[in-house]
Amino acid sequence: VQVLIALRVTPNMISWFGLLILAGFIYFLPRYPITSIYFLLAHVLLDAFDGSLARALKKDGDGGALTDIICDHSGMVIVIATLTYYGLLTGFWALWYVYLYTVMVVFIIWLNRIKRPMPLAIRTKYYFYILYALWAIWGFNYFDEIAIIFSILMLPSIIYGYHGLQHYLRVR
């Protein structure tokens, strides 16, 4: 983090670069899937660094959080869309998963904003990334099955988020 501070790198720069680096993931996936793992890993690591840098610079406000959420979520959508484009994931399950993941993230953000954090929410996208690595190395393709399982696993969080936010809005 100190090196980034010395180079005058901002957390937002890291967030946007982390999103941009997924171009390598898209480009290398069809011919060199193992190489594309490195771009996906760089995306995940950069996503981890932006928050650390923001805290170190004491710039961990709503504006930076918004950029982080947009880049983080867009990255997940790009990965899922790329897997779908190359025929590794069926379009219906990809759309269903992205929709439910988006709804869950919206509820997580709202509940955190009103100081009623969700007790448990599984960030399944990282498991998708691991599953991609398994496919790239060994050829295991369980993307559809995992999209279905993860969609089911997100439902309790979505239901909790919906009812929690509805209750808050009624009581207010």
Side-chain angles (χ1 to χ4, degrees):
V1 172
Q2 296 305 323
V3 173
L4 297 173
I5 292 171
L7 293 172
R8 304 175 83 94
V9 174
T10 68
N12 284 350
M13 289 167 69
I14 291 176
S15 294
W16 288 111
F17 184 67
L19 185 60
L20 182 63
I21 207 159
L22 285 175
F25 171 78
I26 296 166
Y27 179 78
F28 286 107
L29 188 145
R31 288 186 198 89
Y32 305 102
I34 292 176
T35 302
S36 67
I37 293 171
Y38 296 108
F39 288 93
L40 188 56
L41 180 61
H43 167 73
V44 171
L45 292 174
L46 288 168
D47 182 44
F49 281 127
D50 61 0
S52 300
L53 182 61
R55 286 184 289 282
L57 293 172
K58 301 201 182 341
K59 291 185 175 183
D60 51 347
D62 289 342
L66 178 63
T67 300
D68 181 51
I69 290 166
I70 289 170
C71 291
D72 190 28
H73 198 72
S74 297
M76 182 273 301
V77 172
I78 288 168
V79 169
I80 298 299
T82 303
L83 295 175
T84 304
Y85 179 80
Y86 288 114
L88 298 171
L89 179 60
T90 304
F92 175 80
W93 295 119
L95 287 171
W96 184 244
Y97 172 79
V98 167
Y99 169 73
L100 290 177
Y101 193 88
T102 302
V103 170
M104 184 183 76
V105 167
V106 166
F107 284 135
I108 290 170
I109 293 166
W110 270 101
L111 290 173
N112 284 342
R113 194 78 174 156
I114 63 173
K115 307 284 190 255
R116 293 181 176 192
M118 195 173 287
L120 177 66
I122 302 170
R123 301 290 300 251
T124 56
K125 70 176 184 172
Y126 298 113
Y127 297 104
F128 247 110
Y129 298 169
I130 292 167
L131 185 62
Y132 170 75
L134 294 175
W135 172 82
I137 296 167
W138 292 295
F140 301 139
N141 183 345
Y142 296 104
F143 291 110
D144 284 342
E145 294 84 354
I146 292 299
I148 294 166
I149 291 168
F150 288 170
S151 295
I152 292 167
L153 289 175
M154 287 187 287
L155 288 175
S157 296
I158 291 168
I159 293 166
Y160 176 88
Y162 176 80
H163 287 293
L165 191 54
Q166 280 288 9
H167 176 76
Y168 171 78
L169 293 172
R170 272 196 309 271
V171 173
R172 249 179 33 143

